Amino acid sequence: MFHHDQKTTTTTTSTAAVPVQSVMHQAAVHEVVKPTQVEEIQPVISRQIEKTEVHQITQPILEKNVLPTQVTDRVLPTQVKPDVVLGTAAPAMAQEQSTRVVENAQHTTVVKPALVQETIRPHVIEEIQ
């Protein structure tokens, strides 16, 4: 807490012998305390997509080749969207004396867009003709 009540007084004498007084006051301090509480919400969505692929393989009757099933997993990059900020701050009011004002806590909720993590798992079916 700031509290200033000091005054400085100086007396100077000129050639006319008239005393001059100068009074210096300390500057008034206006202090506003704004406590804030920020809550960040960011959901994460995980998806696993099974994709069925049918491959038709034409082979001669005399030859027989059996190829192994190929399974590949792909992870798509995470999608990031800009933040959404809810709530606004009220402007502070100035006063002439030194003051300290503690305002109510400001609650701000930041809702971030969901992170979507997709994993594609292809299921390959080979039809031999």
Side-chain angles (χ1 to χ4, degrees), residues 38-104:
V38 178
E39 179 183 357
E40 292 185 359
I41 300 171
Q42 183 167 26
V44 177
I45 300 172
S46 296
R47 293 184 200 164
Q48 291 190 0
I49 301 171
E50 288 199 23
K51 184 177 179 181
T52 303
E53 296 179 4
V54 177
H55 294 255
Q56 294 183 355
I57 300 174
T58 306
Q59 292 184 345
I61 297 175
L62 299 176
E63 293 183 17
K64 184 175 182 182
N65 288 332
V66 178
L67 299 176
T69 304
Q70 295 179 356
V71 177
T72 58
D73 288 345
R74 293 184 221 152
V75 178
L76 298 178
T78 305
Q79 297 177 355
V80 178
K81 297 183 180 178
D83 297 344
V84 177
V85 178
L86 303 175
T88 58
M93 298 183 68
Q95 297 178 1
E96 292 186 17
Q97 296 178 352
S98 297
T99 59
R100 180 179 184 163
V101 177
V102 179
E103 295 181 351
N104 292 335

